[in-house]
């Protein structure tokens, strides 16, 4: 679908167009994905790809992005290979192969644990504790960040942040890139609460954080392969550096448990039960959190589409169940962007949270003694410089 904007150079016009698409359900009578082209070409164009999360997780969609784009502006497009003929016999063989592969993997893991009984016992204790946490952790209390949602969404995104700056802050304060960004977002929520007369010291803001379980050797294929962990964001801590240290400690503690794998098993189990039971299970777990926050690593080098360089890429995660907040961290070509997708009925102004996030990140820069630099694309080899300059003369799309 092509949508014309009066001025794509106006960030607000792009945001409103994207926000409108986020509020439209995908048609149930068609394949659950859509591709939209925004803009009239005069001020650039933006490509928006929407898809049902059941089709693929973030890691899998990076494979789709790689297939849709090119590493060079002069890549020659080739006709795709013909689709294999549909066959119920072949489909059955493929399903059987997949089940056998999974059974073999489980058998191998079970044999490994049987050979190490002490390790197996320890893992069993940790898994039991993790399951207990998932089942018996109390619901997040009501706050202005929670409430009944509706189809209308509000979207806001941050200015691009150089990945090198985030790494420098993390190195100086002994934290990961993910820790730094989640801590700064905690500061954004704290500022949002204070500005509306809420006491953040009395608010529990627990987030569902997806954990990629594919591993580097299993990054191909569609579908979902992630677990979920519950992380309580320290919105009750005023000092940004102290907040980062506390969040890092909490994340480290979670990483030492099999919570992600246990939740992965629970999610798979929910997919096998009747729809009514599945919905009840989703609601049950969503009561225990206020937001969902995900981090997807995009291409490290610039990508091209139809010979034009993609200047910026954004990623927006849905807010499942009755959760009103979906936060996405996405890195592309040396820049990191944070996008908030919120339920309009609960949080009508997510840009205020983004403003607090950016202010808190600046405070972390100061605490770490890091000098902020303007965001710029990743350096590229000299051999590509001429091609890049040529491509820059054309309209540059933004992939959202």
């Amino acid at each position: 679908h092509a949508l014309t904007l009066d001025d794509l150079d106006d960030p607000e016009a792009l945001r409103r167009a994207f926000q409108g698409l986020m509020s439209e359900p995908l048609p149930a009578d068609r394949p659950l994905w859509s591709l939209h082209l925004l803009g009239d070409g005069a001020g650039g164009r933006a490509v928006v790809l929407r898809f049902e999360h059941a089709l693929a997780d973030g890691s899998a969609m990076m494979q789709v992005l790689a297939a849709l784009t090119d590493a060079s502006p002069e890549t020659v497009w080739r006709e795709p290979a013909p689709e294999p003929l549909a066959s119920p016999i072949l489909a059955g063989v493929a399903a059987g192969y997949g089940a056998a592969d999974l059974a073999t993997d489980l058998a191998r893991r079970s044999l490994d644990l049987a050979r190490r009984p002490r390790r197996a016992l320890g893992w069993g204790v940790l898994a039991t504790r993790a399951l207990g946490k998932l089942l018996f952790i109390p619901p997040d209390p009501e706050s202005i960040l929670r409430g009944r949602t509706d189809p209308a969404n509000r979207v806001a995104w941050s200015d691009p942040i150089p990945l090198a700056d985030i790494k420098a802050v993390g190195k100086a304060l002994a934290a990961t890139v993910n820790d730094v960004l989640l801590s700064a977002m905690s500061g954004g929520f704290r500022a949002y609460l204070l500005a509306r007369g809420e006491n953040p010291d009395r608010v529990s803001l627990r987030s569902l954080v997806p954990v990629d379980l594919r591993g580097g050797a299993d990054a191909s294929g569609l579908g979902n392969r992630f677990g979920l962990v519950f992380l309580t964001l320290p919105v009750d801590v005023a000092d940004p550096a102290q907040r980062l240290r506390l969040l890092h400690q909490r994340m480290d503690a979670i990483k030492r448990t099999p919570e992600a794998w246990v939740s992965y098993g629970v999610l798979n189990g929910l997919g096998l039960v009747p729809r009514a039971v599945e919905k009840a299970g989703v609601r049950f777990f969503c009561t225990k959190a206020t937001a969902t926050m995900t981090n997807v690593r995009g291409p490290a080098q610039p990508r091209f589409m139809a010979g034009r360089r993609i200047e910026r890429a954004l990623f927006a995660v849905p807010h499942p169940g009755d959760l009103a907040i979906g936060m996405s961290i996405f890195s592309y070509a040396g820049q990191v962007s944070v996008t908030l997708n919120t339920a309009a009925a609960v949080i009508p102004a997510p840009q205020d949270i983004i403003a607090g996030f950016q202010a808190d990140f600046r405070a972390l820069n100061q605490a770490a003694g890091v000098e902020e630099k303007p965001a710029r694309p990743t350096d590229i080899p000299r051999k590509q410089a001429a091609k890049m300059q040529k491509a820059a003369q054309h309209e540059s799309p933004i992939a959202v």
Side-chain angles (χ1 to χ4, degrees):
H1 301 280
L3 301 177
T4 300
L5 298 182
D6 294 334
D7 184 7
L8 191 59
D9 287 332
D10 177 11
E12 184 61 18
L14 176 62
R15 188 192 65 80
R16 286 196 302 268
F18 180 56
Q19 181 174 277
L21 291 173
M22 287 291 292
S23 301
E24 292 181 10
L26 290 165
D29 59 341
R30 301 179 184 177
L32 296 178
W33 64 270
S34 65
L35 193 65
H36 302 265
L37 180 63
L38 306 183
D40 58 7
R45 288 184 172 178
V47 176
V48 181
L49 172 62
R50 300 191 303 153
F51 64 95
E52 167 60 46
H53 208 314
L55 297 178
D57 55 26
S59 295
M61 283 308 298
M62 289 307 97
Q63 304 299 316
V64 175
L65 178 62
L68 291 175
T69 60
D70 304 309
S72 165
E74 297 180 357
T75 301
V76 177
W77 188 82
R78 304 183 188 281
E79 286 285 347
E83 291 286 338
L85 295 176
S87 167
I89 297 177
L90 292 178
V93 171
Y97 178 81
D101 186 56
L102 177 61
T104 301
D105 181 62
L106 291 175
R108 184 169 56 250
R109 292 175 183 271
S110 300
L111 183 60
D112 180 62
L113 291 175
R115 291 172 177 172
R116 303 176 184 180
R118 184 174 298 178
R119 180 181 177 183
L121 179 61
W123 191 91
V125 171
L126 291 175
T128 302
R129 290 177 180 174
L131 181 60
K133 177 183 176 180
L134 291 173
L135 295 177
F136 301 115
I137 191 171
D140 252 5
E142 294 300 320
S143 72
I144 62 172
L145 302 176
R146 297 180 58 86
R148 185 173 296 276
T149 61
D150 58 30
N153 287 275
R154 293 292 181 266
V155 178
W157 49 71
S158 70
D159 295 330
I161 305 171
L163 179 59
D165 285 4
I166 305 173
K167 289 182 176 180
V169 171
K171 182 177 181 181
L173 300 179
T176 67
V177 167
N178 200 50
D179 293 340
V180 171
L181 293 172
L182 289 180
S183 179
M185 184 53 67
S186 302
F189 283 118
R190 178 181 175 85
Y192 183 86
L193 292 167
L194 287 171
R196 284 154 180 78
E198 294 285 323
N199 184 357
D201 297 342
R202 298 179 180 177
V203 175
S204 171
L205 204 169
R206 194 178 296 126
S207 176
L208 280 170
V209 181
V211 177
D212 185 5
L213 300 178
R214 290 175 179 267
D218 185 23
S220 62
L222 296 179
N224 287 265
R225 190 176 174 83
F226 65 86
L228 294 171
V229 299
F230 286 105
L231 172 68
T232 301
L233 302 180
V235 295
D236 56 331
V237 179
D239 180 72
Q242 182 181 351
R243 188 188 312 119
L244 175 58
R245 285 192 292 270
L246 180 57
L247 188 141
H248 176 69
Q249 291 171 4
R250 290 176 179 176
M251 280 301 298
D252 263 7
I254 291 173
K255 290 175 182 177
R256 291 193 291 268
T257 73
E259 185 175 334
W261 284 101
V262 171
S263 66
Y264 178 65
V266 172
L267 291 173
N268 276 320
L270 286 176
L272 300 175
V273 298
R275 187 172 180 81
V277 179
E278 178 188 3
K279 286 187 175 182
V282 171
R283 287 196 299 269
F284 173 75
F285 286 109
C286 285
T287 62
K288 301 172 182 292
T290 297
T292 179
M293 299 187 176
T294 186
N295 187 344
V296 177
R297 183 181 301 174
Q301 297 297 325
R303 303 290 297 181
F304 296 81
M305 181 175 289
R308 300 170 184 176
R309 173 174 168 152
I310 298 175
E311 291 295 338
R312 190 176 182 193
L314 303 171
F315 175 71
V317 69
H319 40 84
D322 291 330
L323 297 184
I325 303 169
M327 170 189 164
S328 311
I329 302 169
F330 189 72
S331 60
Y332 167 71
Q335 300 178 7
V336 176
S337 299
V338 175
T339 303
L340 270 184
N341 172 33
T342 63
V346 182
I347 302 178
Q351 61 270 21
D352 294 347
I353 301 175
I354 290 291
F357 158 79
Q358 294 180 150
D360 204 83
F361 180 72
R362 289 192 293 271
L364 285 174
N365 270 272
Q366 295 175 359
V370 176
E371 181 182 353
E372 286 189 84
K373 310 178 196 63
R376 62 181 179 83
T378 302
D379 292 334
I380 59 172
R382 292 183 179 180
K383 291 182 180 180
Q384 295 186 20
K387 296 179 182 179
M388 294 286 291
Q389 186 175 6
K390 179 181 178 181
Q393 296 173 359
H394 303 282
E395 307 119 16
S396 300
I398 302 176
V400 182

